[in-house]
Amino acid sequence: MTDKRRTYTAPEQISLTTQVGGLCPLCGASLFYEKKGKPQKAYEIAHIYPLNPKPVEAELLKNEKRLHSDVNHLDN
């Protein structure tokens, strides 16, 4: 059975983007852009520990400490 990706509320998205200073943690690019004078989001929220890991991924990650037991929690 696969877990479903949850929808994050606007306040949760603000919290997550603020944690990284509005920049991608991997490449440093802005998470926002402007279109017709209005800010737009240029990101997707992703899990650190995969939502539905493939067997190979689960094996690789089996001894890694998880930030939360619920993979859809904001800490993940």
Side-chain angles (χ1 to χ4, degrees):
M1 182 175 145
T2 59
D3 289 323
K4 292 191 176 209
R5 181 177 302 270
R6 69 177 278 237
T7 301
Y8 294 92
T9 65
E12 290 172 326
Q13 290 188 42
I14 291 168
S15 173
L16 291 169
T17 57
T18 301
Q19 285 179 23
V20 295
L23 302 173
C24 174
L26 295 176
C27 71
S30 177
L31 296 177
F32 302 93
Y33 67 96
E34 198 170 293
K35 183 176 181 181
K36 297 182 181 178
K38 294 186 179 186
Q40 306 290 318
K41 74 176 205 172
Y43 65 87
E44 290 185 28
I45 295 174
H47 295 87
I48 295 171
Y49 186 89
L51 180 63
N52 296 298
K54 296 174 184 159
V56 172
E57 294 169 326
E59 180 64 26
L60 287 171
L61 296 167
K62 70 180 179 185
N63 295 319
E64 294 295 322
K65 180 183 174 196
R66 293 191 194 188
L67 299 173
H68 198 278
S69 59
D70 176 6
V71 293
N72 275 313
H73 191 273
L74 289 179
D75 287 344
N76 186 40

